Amino acid sequence: MLPKLRNGLTRVAFVPNAIGTFGDTGKNVLRGPRFFDTDLAVVKNAKITERLSLEFRAEFFNAFNNVNFGRPDSNLADISSTYGQITGMAGGSSSNTYGTAQPRIIQFGLKLAF
């Protein structure tokens, strides 16, 4: 019986093709989990005098603090170890990641215009 990956694929089904030939695997057969990120901003402008105004800003990056995992490892050199496995977060330093792997970040700003 062939060893199965968590997503139903078998490692031994993926081998490097012969030099000068095309492989038979379709495009994007190893898909990663969804990527979900919500950024929010709230701005309040207030007039203090005719020439003086105040702006308050609150910004929330990854507002719902969602975890985003990286893509499955698609390097055939890793066929015996991590091929097809998700080993990191989205936006990490690995080549099989995308996006940003930031936790919830909240920042506030206050601007006085005169």
Side-chain angles (χ1 to χ4, degrees):
M1 188 158 156
L2 300 173
K4 291 204 173 223
L5 297 175
R6 291 186 183 116
N7 58 1
L9 298 173
T10 58
R11 286 188 180 141
V12 294
F14 296 93
V15 295
N17 53 311
I19 295 175
T21 63
F22 294 106
D24 60 354
T25 304
K27 183 179 178 184
N28 296 329
V29 294
L30 292 176
R31 294 180 184 231
R34 68 181 179 92
F35 185 85
F36 180 76
D37 187 30
T38 303
D39 298 336
L40 300 172
V42 178
V43 178
K44 173 65 178 167
N45 290 314
K47 278 263 200 208
I48 297 173
T49 65
E50 186 177 317
R51 294 180 54 201
L52 199 62
S53 64
L54 188 68
E55 177 187 89
F56 173 74
R57 178 181 299 267
E59 296 171 330
F60 304 87
F61 302 100
N62 195 6
F64 300 116
N65 206 21
N66 192 59
V67 176
N68 292 304
F69 295 103
R71 297 182 191 144
D73 184 7
S74 60
N75 187 355
L76 283 176
D78 300 333
I79 197 79
S80 63
S81 59
T82 61
Y83 183 78
Q85 294 179 6
I86 296 172
T87 58
M89 303 294 287
S93 60
S94 175
S95 62
N96 61 346
T97 58
Y98 55 92
T100 58
Q102 297 291 329
R104 180 187 305 131
I105 297 172
I106 303 172
Q107 69 183 22
F108 299 102
L110 192 63
K111 180 169 67 172
L112 181 65
F114 52 92

